Amino acid sequence: MMKPFSETARETRAKASELAEKTAENARLTAEAAKARIQEGYGRARAATEDLAARASEQAGVAREAASEAYAKGKVQAKRANSKLKDVAEKQPLALVAGAVAIGALLGSLLPKGRSGEE
């Protein structure tokens, strides 16, 4: 015998409702899993960025320290050279002039010979 239409409709509504609930539950679980993966990826990216920033800051500090040391050494060497030049200028002024002339002649010999306007 055939079921009454109202009973078939009720069973169909019940099955559709159950299917909708299962679909909604699957969608919720999928969304939660996606959210967890996104949060995990964000956490890894954040940790990597923080690590990179820490290393860059450390390297910048090392570079600043090296530049400061080089500047201090250069300053000391410049003072020493200036002091030696003053000593030579006071004790042997002719030797200083002769050295300057020799350097000038050397630089002059390295310059390309210019052409006169005659051709």
Side-chain angles (χ1 to χ4, degrees):
M1 191 166 170
M2 225 188 227
K3 291 184 187 176
F5 182 72
S6 62
E7 187 179 328
T8 303
R10 247 191 322 260
E11 287 176 358
T12 303
R13 269 197 308 269
K15 286 181 181 180
S17 178
E18 182 182 334
L19 181 61
E21 286 177 14
K22 285 181 180 178
T23 302
E25 178 65 14
N26 285 340
R28 185 184 65 76
L29 292 173
T30 301
E32 285 178 3
K35 180 181 176 184
R37 284 193 303 271
I38 289 169
Q39 286 176 338
E40 181 182 322
Y42 172 75
R44 282 194 309 263
R46 185 174 177 200
T49 302
E50 288 173 355
D51 184 47
L52 185 62
R55 279 193 256 151
S57 178
E58 181 181 324
Q59 288 177 352
V62 168
R64 270 193 305 273
E65 187 175 320
S68 179
E69 288 176 13
Y71 175 75
K73 285 180 183 178
K75 197 173 178 182
V76 167
Q77 288 176 347
K79 281 184 180 180
R80 201 176 300 143
N82 189 30
S83 177
K84 286 181 182 180
L85 186 60
K86 282 182 182 178
D87 283 349
V88 170
E90 287 176 5
K91 294 178 183 174
Q92 300 174 1
L94 291 178
L96 184 62
V97 171
V101 169
I103 291 173
L106 176 64
L107 291 176
S109 71
L110 295 176
L111 295 175
K113 304 291 184 232
R115 293 185 185 182
S116 60
E118 302 170 20
E119 275 195 44

